[in-house]
Amino acid sequence: MKRSRRIPDVFKKKRKVMVISGGQSTDWGTEDGHSVTSQQELMSDTKAALIHIKSQYHIEAFDNRIPPIVLKHQIYSVVHNKTLADRQLDDLKEKKEIKMFKLGVAVDEYCIVFTDDYKQHVLRHMAGNKVVERFLETAVDQCCDVSLSKSTMIDEFQFTDEEITLLVNASLITVRDIGSWWLAIPGAGIFMKTFIKGRQALLRAIRKAKYQEVLQQNLEERKIAAVAKLGMSYHIMDIIGAEFVTKIQTTSGWLLRLKE
């Protein structure tokens, strides 16, 4: 009887690193076990997902009035391990690479903007305002939370009541409750109006389809006016991540089925 030989690990194929490139999943690594060092490998799955989703955002459609915004749940359409995604988001916040904002009325509804994009957006519209510049250098650069307390703004960063009122009027902060404020994005209302209209139009199109399901590829090829401004891919990642639809692998490609 022949005895099976155990193949040493050194001859086995190494696990490939999955990154996003040009809207498609890309394998990095070699078949012969030799490692490949690249910027993509060093990047976390969540940061790669953020960059990919940001690339789908049609900022020019808004005449640069708002920065590229990524909805937190959109990340889950790319990074399926939510625990991993949340942990890596926390790490990016701690490194001050991203800012997170409360969006809408839902308790867990948040959006994300890269810190550099946020600061550039604010300075593009409010350059030369010393209070705004100090706000960016303190509250934005030094705080990781989505809200700011009165003690932080007044005692730690030395903002006066008048300056806080100026920041509220500039839509850099919004009132959360007495003595605290949400960090805000100037112009976010423009985004929300467009985003909600696009989501509703996309869900309506799927609802009208036979069995309330449609191939993702077919959906991507459709021309829906309300979706055009943010882009079809952006909205598809929204409804998948928010779990409005179930994504099913079929022989014809990915199928999106509306949840009951």
Side-chain angles (χ1 to χ4, degrees):
M1 182 177 67
K2 292 184 179 180
R3 296 176 62 186
S4 60
R5 296 177 59 191
R6 182 177 178 272
I7 301 174
D9 291 342
V10 71
F11 295 113
K12 292 182 179 179
K13 294 178 182 178
K14 289 190 175 181
R15 183 177 63 85
K16 296 180 182 179
V17 178
M18 300 296 293
V19 298
I20 303 298
S21 175
Q24 300 294 328
S25 296
T26 305
D27 292 339
W28 288 81
T30 59
E31 292 294 327
D32 59 2
H34 292 90
S35 62
V36 176
T37 301
S38 66
Q39 184 63 38
Q40 286 88 343
E41 283 187 322
L42 299 175
M43 188 184 300
S44 71
D45 293 343
T46 301
K47 185 174 181 179
L50 283 168
I51 292 172
H52 169 61
I53 299 167
K54 174 186 170 180
S55 72
Q56 307 302 307
Y57 185 93
H58 296 175
I59 189 171
E60 66 281 353
F62 294 94
D63 299 322
N64 292 313
R65 289 183 293 172
I66 50 177
I69 296 173
V70 176
L71 301 162
K72 183 184 176 184
H73 62 256
Q74 283 179 309
I75 297 170
Y76 304 144
S77 71
V78 181
V79 182
H80 304 303
N81 186 329
K82 291 185 179 182
T83 302
L84 173 67
D86 290 343
R87 185 169 67 245
Q88 291 179 343
L89 278 176
D90 288 339
D91 184 53
L92 290 170
K93 285 195 296 180
E94 289 293 329
K95 291 178 179 177
K96 311 297 191 299
E97 292 189 42
I98 62 170
K99 303 301 296 183
M100 193 172 291
F101 303 86
K102 184 75 171 63
L103 194 67
V105 296
V107 176
D108 59 347
E109 200 164 3
Y110 295 93
C111 72
I112 298 159
V113 178
F114 279 100
T115 304
D116 287 345
D117 289 338
Y118 179 75
K119 293 169 71 174
Q120 289 170 14
H121 168 67
V122 172
L123 291 174
R124 187 182 299 118
H125 299 282
M126 305 175 201
N129 188 310
K130 298 301 181 184
V131 176
V132 171
E133 290 175 357
R134 185 155 60 90
F135 177 76
L136 295 178
E137 293 168 359
T138 54
V140 173
D141 281 343
Q142 298 178 35
C143 294
C144 300
D145 203 355
V146 295
S147 63
L148 300 161
S149 66
K150 185 175 182 179
S151 62
T152 299
M153 290 294 287
I154 294 177
D155 299 334
E156 184 177 349
F157 297 143
Q158 301 292 303
F159 285 100
T160 65
D161 289 337
E162 291 75 14
E163 289 172 334
I164 290 173
T165 299
L166 184 151
L167 294 171
V168 170
N169 292 337
S171 299
L172 288 168
I173 55 175
T174 58
V175 177
R176 178 180 181 180
D177 51 39
I178 298 174
S180 68
W181 301 268
W182 294 112
L183 187 64
I185 305 171
I190 301 170
F191 166 81
M192 283 301 296
K193 182 179 179 180
T194 302
F195 164 70
I196 291 171
K197 285 177 63 177
R199 173 191 273 183
Q200 291 174 342
L202 188 57
L203 292 175
R204 189 160 51 245
I206 300 174
R207 193 172 291 112
K208 290 180 178 179
K210 189 176 182 180
Y211 306 123
Q212 297 189 338
E213 60 186 31
V214 61
L215 287 171
Q216 182 173 333
Q217 183 177 352
N218 292 346
L219 193 60
E220 289 170 348
E221 294 170 353
R222 288 196 189 183
K223 305 296 182 183
I224 302 176
V227 172
K229 200 164 188 177
L230 278 169
M232 181 63 80
S233 295
Y234 188 90
H235 280 291
I236 288 175
M237 286 186 286
D238 163 52
I239 63 172
I240 293 173
E243 299 182 349
F244 286 109
V245 296
T246 302
K247 190 175 179 180
I248 304 165
Q249 178 72 71
T250 71
T251 55
S252 302
W254 288 106
L255 182 75
L256 302 182
R257 178 177 295 158
L258 199 66
K259 285 191 175 182
E260 294 182 359

